[in-house]
Amino acid sequence: MSVSLAVIEHNPQDASAPDAKSYWTESFHRFSVDESDEEKSGEKKEKLGGVEREEKEKRVPPKRLDGIGDEAYWSANRFGGALYVLAKDAIVRISVGGSDNEQTKIDKSKALALKALERLP
């Protein structure tokens, strides 16, 4: 069993650094846009540095979860997954290890995230 907790906040000493909401939008809102037929088949066109490129995407898009923070997503991976929560201009990331099934890990992560969110300034 393991628990990983990370809090991502804006660096006030670096004015050019993105704030949490900008980072969140770039990271998660791209999955909520309607996909074209090419994207559904695993091909994704993405602009990178003003140049459009295609890439094969093999990962599953994150699952949106309601009832926690401003927005929350569960991002599954081969080790289990991680819960990302946007709240109070910060992003909280929680990952719970062990042999539990995905739904149990989501539930445990949500409970821990709620406690972490209480402690944000």
Side-chain angles (χ1 to χ4, degrees):
M1 279 307 267
S2 65
V3 174
S4 172
L5 167 71
V7 178
I8 303 165
E9 295 180 301
H10 176 71
N11 180 356
Q13 296 176 348
D14 184 358
S16 66
D19 63 351
K21 288 183 181 181
S22 297
Y23 179 79
W24 184 268
T25 299
E26 290 175 23
S27 299
F28 292 103
H29 287 189
R30 64 189 171 114
F31 294 106
S32 63
V33 177
D34 289 336
E35 296 176 338
S36 70
D37 290 334
E38 285 181 11
E39 289 169 331
K40 288 178 185 173
S41 69
E43 301 233 358
K44 183 176 180 183
K45 290 185 180 180
E46 192 174 87
K47 283 194 176 181
L48 189 62
V51 177
E52 193 172 278
R53 69 181 180 110
E54 290 186 23
E55 71 177 27
K56 300 261 185 199
E57 235 181 62
K58 295 182 179 177
R59 63 183 212 127
V60 176
K63 180 186 344 179
R64 185 175 175 134
L65 302 176
D66 294 323
I68 182 166
D70 299 333
E71 285 186 61
Y73 285 90
W74 174 260
S75 180
N77 61 39
R78 62 186 174 146
F79 303 110
L83 174 65
Y84 294 85
V85 181
L86 174 66
K88 300 182 182 178
D89 293 325
I91 298 171
V92 174
R93 178 193 181 276
I94 302 229
S95 178
V96 177
S99 60
D100 292 328
N101 65 35
E102 182 179 63
Q103 188 58 52
T104 301
K105 287 183 178 185
I106 290 171
D107 294 340
K108 287 180 177 180
S109 296
K110 282 174 81 171
L112 290 169
L114 287 169
K115 294 209 178 273
L117 293 177
E118 291 174 359
R119 299 175 190 268
L120 290 178

